[in-house]
Amino acid sequence: MNLNIKLLLVVLLSLSLLGLMPIAPGYPTLEAASARPKVGLVLGGGGARGLAHVGVLKVLEELRVPVDCIAGTSMGSIIGGLYASGMGPEAMDQTLQAIDWPRIFKDGPERADLPFRTKQEQQVLLTDKGVGVKDWRVQLPLGLLQGQNLLLLLEELTLPAAEVRDFDQLPIPFRAVATDLATGEAVVLGDGELARAMRASMSIPSALVPVERDGKLLADGGMADNVPVDVARKLCRPDVIIAVDVGAPLAPNDELTSVLAITEQLTGFLTVRNARQQIATLGTRDILITPDLKDISSLNFERSAEAVAVGYRGAQALSDRLTRLSLSPEAYLAHRNARPALPESHHPIIDFIRIENDTRLSDQVIEQQLTVKPGDRLDPERLNRDLNQIYGMGDFQQVDYALVKENDRTGLVVSARRAFIGEDRLNFGLYLGGDMGGDSMFNLSVAYTKSQLNALGAEWRTFAQLGNNITLSTDFYQPLDADQEYYLNPFLSYEQYNLSLGREGDEDVLGLRVRQFRAGLEMGRNLGHWGRLSLGLFYSGGGNALRHGIPNGFMGDFNNSGFTLRLDADTLDSLDFPSKGYYANLRYRGALTALSADEELQTLLVDGVKPFAWGKSVLIPRLHLGATLSGEPGPEDLFLLGGFLNLSGYQPGDISGKYVGLAELIYLYRLNDASAAFSLPLYLGGSIEAGGGWNSLDNFQSDSIIPAGSLFLGADTPLGPAYLGAGFSDQQSALYLMLGKLLW
C-alpha cells in the first residue's frame, strides 16, 4: 500500500477516535478491529445528589457503553461500588425507592428491639443521647452518627462481593476515595471489604464518624478528591473518561445571609476547588456530565426518584457523544460475559461463626443474641436485625459482619468494637413548668452510667435530680446468663416530692413534702425484648412535713417496706411520639409488717397506651388506673396525678388519692416530611383528658371528674424530646417548657 495512503488511513482513524470525524463506510470499525477505546467512569460525591449517578448508568447501559473501570467518591463510591459488584441501575433504582432513609441514618435497632432495660432507662435518663466519660474526662463522639445501619445496608447490598478482597477482581475494577483526617490527603481504597471502603468514602465530617483503617482515620473523600479523574486514569489507563460531577455549586452573595449559610459555603470551598482541578484535566475525548439538580440538596435522600431522573436527562443530553463509544449488541454481551464472575449464591450456607470482640462482654453473650446458627442459609435481613439488637445492648462503636472462606468452608465473622467514647456515659434532662397563678416547677437531672462492668454486661447507674423534686438513686443491674434472660438488680434511692391532699370547700390545698429512702433487690426475667416480669423486695421509710395548710395527723415518720410484683410490656416505636406498638404496665405492691412496715397495705396500678396512625396523624388513647385494695395508705402511698398529659393544667402531685383514674386521647400531627432523612421531627399536638383522685369510691361521682386538655408543639431533637405547651383544667392552667420529659 502506498505510504501516503497508509498515513491518510492513520489520520482518519485517529480523528474518528477523537470523535471529530465518523469512520466512513468501508473502513474497519474499532470494534471490528478489537481496538475500541477503553472507558473509565468517574462518579463524584454529593450526598443525595449522587443518586443521579443511577440515571447516568441507565443511559450508559441503554447505549451499550462499556465501562472498564470505576473510581468514585462519597455517594459516587457507593453507586460505583454497587455497579462494579454487578448490581444494575434498574435494580439500584428499585432499591433506592424501597430504602427507609430516616431509618438508615439512625443508629441501632428499632426501639421495639431494644433490651427492656434500655427501654426502662429511657424513662429515667430523659435524653436519648449522652456524652462519654473516658479516663475520668468527658469524651465527645467523633460524629453525630456511628453509621451502624448504613454499614449494614451496604454489606447487604454488596453480598455478591462479600468474599472479594481485591477490588481488581470485581466484575469491574473499582476504587473508592477517602480523606486522611490527619493530613487532608486522598486515600485510594482498592482492597479490603467493599462495604467498609464505601462507608469510609462517605464518612461525612461531623455527621458520620470516620472509619479507622491501617492506623488512619478516614473521612469523606470529597474533601480531597471529589471527582477522582486521576484515580481512574491510574486504575485502567482509559482512552476516554466519562466523569459525572454532582457536587453542589457555591452559593452566590445574595444567599449568604446567615452564619449557617456562610459555614456551609466555607466547607464547600475544598470540595468545589479540588473538583474543578480534576475537571480541568479532562481532554477533548473525555465526556463531562453535570446533571442539573437545581434545589436537590446533599441531604434530600427522599427525593431519590427525582435525582435519578435528572441524572438520566443529563446523560441523554450527551447521547451523541456517548453513542460513539457504543458497542453492537453482540459485542456488548461479549464484553459483559468476559467480566470476572462472582459466586452464584448470595446467601450461602454458614459453616461456622466466629466472634471478634474487643469489648468487656464475653463472646458467648454476643453469640447468644444471634438467631443464625451454623448450618443455616444466610438471611441478611434477619442477621442485620440480630446485629442491631446486639448494638442496642449499648456502648458499641460498630457491630457488623464479614463472610470469609476458609478451607472451602464459609464463615460468618461478627465484629463487635468498643465505643470510642468508652463504656461510661452522662445523660441530662430538664423540666420547666409554670401555672397562671405564679407557681413554677423546675427539675434538672443527670445520670452517670458505667456499663459492661463484667463479661455478662453488668451496669451501674447513678441518677440525680435537683429542683422542686429531688431524687438520688443508684442501682446495679446484673444479668445472670449469656442469654440476658434473668437478672438481679439491687438499688438504693432517696427522694423528696410535693403532693396535695385535696380541698375542703374554699380552703387552700393541704400540701406536704414527702421524704423517702428505699433500699431493695429486684429479680426478674426479661420476656424477649417486649416485656419483663419482676419481683422486688425493699425496705422503705421516711417522713412527711407540712408545706402549707392546716397541720394534721398525716405528718410524721413512716415505714412502708414490702414487695412489688410487676409485669411490663413495651413495643412502642417511640416513647415520646409513638405511632405503633403498645405500652402496658401492671404493678401490684404490698406493704408487710413482717418486713417492718407500719401496717399491711395492698395497691394495684394499671397503665396502657396504644397508638393508631394514618398518614401524618396519630391518635393515642391512654388509660391510667390506680386502686388501694386493702389497708389505709399514708400520704406517701397515695397515687398522684398532675403535670403535662397527666391532667394538664395541674402541677405534678397536685392531684392525689387512694384511687385515681385518667382517660385521655392524645392527637399528634407531623408538621414536616417523615421521609426526609435529616429533618427534625416536628409535631403539633393536643389532648382531651378526664380524671381525678378519690379517697373513697363513694366519692366517685360524675361531677368529681376533672376535665383537662392541652395544646403543644413537640420536637424529637438529638438530645431527646422537647415540648412547648399549655395545659388547661377546670380550675387552673399551666405553661410547660420541657426537654426530656416523657409522656408515660
Side-chain angles (χ1 to χ4, degrees):
M1 186 181 292
N2 184 283
L3 179 61
N4 290 332
I5 294 176
K6 290 182 178 179
L7 289 174
L8 179 60
L9 288 174
V10 169
V11 170
L12 292 174
L13 186 60
S14 300
L15 289 173
S16 70
L17 284 172
L18 291 171
L20 301 176
M21 177 178 178
I23 296 179
Y27 288 106
T29 65
L30 291 173
E31 182 182 332
S34 300
R36 69 166 181 83
K38 186 179 290 186
V39 177
L41 180 62
V42 177
L43 303 180
R49 294 167 64 91
L51 300 176
H53 293 316
V54 177
V56 174
L57 291 175
K58 284 185 177 184
V59 174
L60 295 183
E61 291 213 337
E62 289 175 2
L63 297 178
R64 300 185 302 279
V65 175
V67 174
D68 296 284
C69 65
I70 304 174
T73 294
S74 194
M75 181 55 74
S77 77
I78 291 178
I79 302 301
L82 293 178
Y83 192 61
S85 63
M87 180 181 285
E90 291 295 339
M92 282 189 217
D93 196 6
Q94 293 175 9
T95 299
L96 292 175
Q97 306 309 317
I99 289 175
D100 181 357
W101 291 107
R103 183 81 203 93
I104 291 302
F105 288 104
K106 289 183 180 178
D107 289 323
E110 298 279 0
R111 185 178 179 276
D113 288 335
L114 286 172
F116 206 81
R117 163 77 171 180
T118 304
K119 295 177 186 178
Q120 288 194 321
E121 282 181 338
Q122 291 178 347
Q123 301 180 48
V124 177
L125 301 185
L126 302 181
T127 52
D128 299 329
K129 300 289 185 180
V131 298
V133 179
K134 193 173 181 181
D135 299 325
W136 299 105
R137 291 182 297 180
V138 171
Q139 178 67 63
L140 298 177
L142 296 177
L144 294 177
L145 296 172
Q146 304 294 345
Q148 168 74 10
N149 287 327
L150 175 60
L151 181 57
L152 291 181
L153 172 67
L154 296 177
E155 288 175 334
E156 181 177 350
L157 296 179
T158 57
L159 268 177
E163 297 176 15
V164 175
R165 293 297 180 267
D166 181 354
F167 298 169
D168 287 340
Q169 302 305 312
L170 292 168
I172 304 175
F174 170 71
R175 295 293 184 270
V177 179
T179 301
D180 184 346
L181 276 179
T183 66
E185 296 179 353
V187 177
V188 180
L189 304 174
D191 56 23
E193 295 174 35
L194 178 60
R196 287 180 183 271
M198 295 155 67
R199 164 67 179 83
S201 181
M202 198 180 168
S203 298
I204 305 168
S206 299
L208 289 166
V209 299
V211 173
E212 186 174 358
R213 172 172 161 149
D214 300 328
K216 299 177 180 178
L217 282 178
L218 303 182
D220 194 290
M223 297 183 292
D225 198 352
N226 200 45
V227 186
V229 174
D230 55 339
V231 176
R233 285 207 169 100
K234 292 177 183 178
L235 176 56
C236 64
R237 299 186 180 279
D239 301 298
V240 178
I241 290 283
I242 300 175
V244 187
D245 180 17
V246 293
L250 293 174
N253 285 340
D254 58 356
E255 294 183 13
L256 300 176
T257 57
S258 70
V259 64
L260 294 177
I262 293 174
T263 301
E264 185 176 0
Q265 184 87 332
L266 293 174
T267 57
F269 282 156
L270 284 177
T271 300
V272 172
R273 183 177 300 164
N274 70 58
R276 287 174 176 171
Q277 291 171 348
Q278 289 294 313
I279 291 171
T281 68
L282 295 174
T284 56
R285 299 179 63 188
D286 300 324
I287 300 172
L288 174 64
I289 301 173
T290 309
D292 186 11
L293 290 158
K294 293 186 174 65
D295 64 335
I296 298 179
S297 78
S298 60
L299 301 180
N300 288 147
F301 288 91
E302 73 282 1
R303 298 176 67 181
S304 62
E306 294 177 63
V308 171
V310 172
Y312 185 87
R313 292 194 296 269
Q316 268 193 327
L318 296 171
S319 59
D320 56 335
R321 297 190 64 189
L322 293 171
T323 301
R324 298 169 187 168
L325 302 172
S326 296
L327 299 180
S328 69
E330 297 78 14
Y332 188 66
L333 180 60
H335 164 75
R336 298 286 295 264
N337 290 339
R339 293 174 177 173
L342 294 178
E344 293 184 6
S345 175
H346 301 165
H347 305 140
I349 299 293
I350 301 300
D351 297 310
F352 65 91
I353 296 175
R354 185 165 63 236
I355 307 296
E356 293 182 350
N357 168 32
D358 67 356
T359 73
R360 296 171 183 168
L361 286 178
S362 71
D363 293 352
Q364 185 183 9
V365 168
I366 293 174
E367 188 168 357
Q368 285 295 103
Q369 312 311 309
L370 297 174
T371 59
V372 60
K373 304 297 180 185
D376 292 348
R377 185 171 294 280
L378 179 65
D379 180 343
E381 184 175 344
R382 187 176 74 174
L383 177 60
N384 286 354
R385 182 171 180 175
D386 290 347
L387 298 179
N388 254 340
Q389 287 182 349
I390 295 170
Y391 181 89
M393 294 169 64
D395 307 298
F396 292 100
Q397 186 74 15
Q398 200 95 54
V399 181
D400 58 357
Y401 69 96
L403 295 179
V404 298
K405 203 77 172 179
E406 296 178 2
N407 301 322
D408 293 326
R409 302 171 71 231
T410 299
L412 174 67
V413 179
V414 174
S415 173
R417 292 187 293 281
R418 180 184 180 187
F420 170 78
I421 63 173
E423 291 81 9
D424 303 347
R425 61 187 183 273
L426 283 169
N427 292 74
F428 303 92
L430 175 67
Y431 178 96
L432 296 174
D435 60 32
M436 300 303 186
D439 292 332
S440 62
M441 185 114 183
F442 167 81
N443 288 315
L444 176 65
S445 57
V446 59
Y448 178 45
T449 305
K450 297 179 69 67
S451 61
Q452 295 184 5
L453 293 176
N454 55 36
L456 288 177
E459 182 177 279
W460 181 19
R461 180 184 63 207
T462 301
F463 175 82
Q465 176 176 287
L466 300 177
N468 296 70
N469 292 344
I470 296 175
T471 301
L472 300 172
S473 67
T474 187
D475 73 299
F476 188 86
Y477 179 81
Q478 177 62 67
L480 299 178
D481 56 345
D483 287 336
Q484 308 284 288
E485 191 172 24
Y486 296 94
Y487 70 92
L488 291 176
N489 187 197
F491 60 87
L492 293 170
S493 69
Y494 173 80
E495 61 180 336
Q496 293 186 21
Y497 61 90
N498 298 332
L499 66 83
S500 300
L501 297 182
R503 295 176 180 271
E504 292 186 6
D506 296 328
E507 295 293 330
D508 290 339
V509 174
L510 173 62
L512 298 179
R513 184 71 169 175
V514 178
R515 298 184 299 274
Q516 186 166 9
F517 169 81
R518 181 174 291 187
L521 173 67
E522 180 182 276
M523 59 201 81
R525 178 180 179 180
N526 292 311
L527 306 173
H529 291 88
W530 66 266
R532 169 181 286 181
L533 180 64
S534 63
L535 171 67
L537 300 174
F538 60 88
Y539 169 84
S540 176
N544 300 314
L546 181 68
R547 219 165 35 96
H548 58 79
I550 303 173
N552 59 26
F554 287 125
M555 293 175 293
D557 295 336
F558 63 83
N559 186 312
N560 58 354
S561 303
F563 71 96
T564 58
L565 183 62
R566 296 185 56 153
L567 176 61
D568 297 276
D570 184 355
T571 65
L572 293 176
D573 59 336
S574 168
L575 192 62
D576 313 292
F577 304 102
S579 62
K580 61 182 179 181
Y582 58 86
Y583 171 87
N585 170 259
L586 176 67
R587 186 181 69 188
Y588 174 83
R589 186 171 71 88
L592 300 175
T593 54
L595 294 177
S596 72
D598 295 330
E599 62 176 283
E600 301 280 331
L601 178 70
Q602 297 182 72
T603 64
L604 182 66
L605 178 67
V606 179
D607 206 352
V609 172
K610 178 67 177 80
F612 299 90
W614 69 99
K616 289 188 172 184
S617 297
V618 184
L619 200 60
I620 310 172
R622 181 194 176 199
L623 184 65
H624 176 87
L625 301 172
T628 301
L629 304 180
S630 67
E632 189 62 33
E636 66 283 351
D637 297 312
L638 296 175
F639 297 102
L640 306 180
L641 285 176
F644 181 54
L645 299 178
N646 285 281
L647 284 186
S648 301
Y650 288 89
Q651 295 288 15
D654 276 359
I655 305 296
S656 64
K658 295 170 59 176
Y659 306 91
V660 297
L662 172 66
E664 65 181 326
L665 199 60
I666 303 167
Y667 175 75
L668 295 175
Y669 180 79
R670 176 75 181 254
L671 294 173
N672 51 2
D673 187 359
S675 65
F678 291 98
S679 68
L680 185 70
L682 298 174
Y683 299 88
L684 177 64
S687 66
I688 299 174
E689 310 164 35
W694 304 271
N695 288 321
S696 171
L697 291 179
D698 295 335
N699 296 332
F700 179 75
Q701 305 291 335
S702 59
D703 59 358
S704 68
I705 297 175
I706 301 171
S710 69
L711 292 172
F712 60 88
L713 287 171
D716 199 0
T717 76
L719 295 177
Y723 304 92
L724 174 63
F728 313 95
S729 68
D730 61 335
Q731 296 186 21
Q732 60 189 77
S733 303
L735 296 175
Y736 301 103
L737 172 62
M738 292 157 283
L739 172 64
K741 178 63 177 178
L742 306 177
L743 300 188
W744 331 116

